[in-house]
Amino acid sequence: ISTRWVGILTLPGFFLMALTPETFIRAVFGAEYTGGALSMLIVASGFLVFVLLGNNGSVVSMIGETDVIMLTNILNAGANLALNVLLIPKIGIEGAAIATAVSYAVSNLMISAYLYHETRIHPFTTSLVGAGLLIALISVLVFEFVSPHLTGFALILTVYATTLVIF
């Protein structure tokens, strides 16, 4: 599946989490987990960067540069450990979320930079950026229209499905 399709399928869910993280957690996991809303949003942001950059690790592997993937994974693990040691004592679960988000985003940024340097391949096109902005707009508009009438999982499913259908 191309980066474009993965982005199109991922963005509405991300925008829903960003607009109503507590509602999302309550609907999916239960009310007792709503305290983790900020952490979920932080981790989701890191994964969003990872997803929007594409599955570049596979491409780097296909061009025979698996050593780059290994080095990136080693650096990623070290950075994640260091960030966790630094941030968890200071800010708790949000520190762990930041460490994870940064690690995932930076690892794919590193692989993407290497891939671009070696092959000039990159996932960004004006149509992808335009699609992302359109999905964001549709998600917000549908949410604003539907949220007074629905709550919980019905709200999440309606906004997600409507955004995909309109897009």
Side-chain angles (χ1 to χ4, degrees):
I1 296 179
S2 74
T3 301
R4 179 184 176 94
W5 281 107
V6 172
I8 288 169
L9 294 172
T10 302
L11 283 171
F14 174 79
F15 289 124
L16 271 171
M17 282 192 294
L19 290 168
T20 62
E22 289 87 7
T23 300
F24 188 87
I25 285 185
R26 192 176 303 109
V28 176
F29 301 109
E32 62 272 15
Y33 294 100
T34 57
L38 178 59
S39 297
M40 178 192 68
L41 193 53
I42 293 167
V43 171
S45 298
F47 279 112
L48 182 66
V49 171
F50 188 90
V51 165
L52 293 179
L53 287 171
N55 192 8
N56 294 324
S58 293
V59 178
V60 170
S61 181
M62 284 189 280
I63 63 172
E65 299 292 341
T66 55
D67 55 330
V68 171
I69 296 169
M70 181 185 67
L71 179 60
T72 302
N73 287 337
I74 290 168
L75 292 172
N76 183 36
N80 189 289
L81 180 63
L83 287 169
N84 275 300
V85 167
L86 290 171
L87 296 175
I88 291 174
K90 293 181 181 180
I91 53 178
I93 191 169
E94 284 83 13
I98 291 168
T100 300
V102 167
S103 296
Y104 270 95
V106 169
S107 71
N108 208 3
L109 281 168
M110 289 170 49
I111 290 175
S112 297
Y114 178 82
L115 186 60
Y116 182 75
H117 180 265
E118 293 297 312
T119 65
R120 298 292 183 231
I121 295 173
H122 66 85
F124 301 111
T125 63
T126 53
S127 66
L128 181 62
V129 173
L133 293 174
L134 184 59
I135 288 170
L137 178 65
I138 292 170
S139 296
V140 170
L141 291 175
V142 170
F143 174 79
E144 289 300 320
F145 178 74
V146 173
S147 64
H149 309 288
L150 296 173
T151 60
F153 194 70
L155 172 65
I156 293 167
L157 188 58
T158 301
V159 173
Y160 187 78
T162 305
T163 301
L164 290 178
V165 168
I166 290 172
F167 185 75

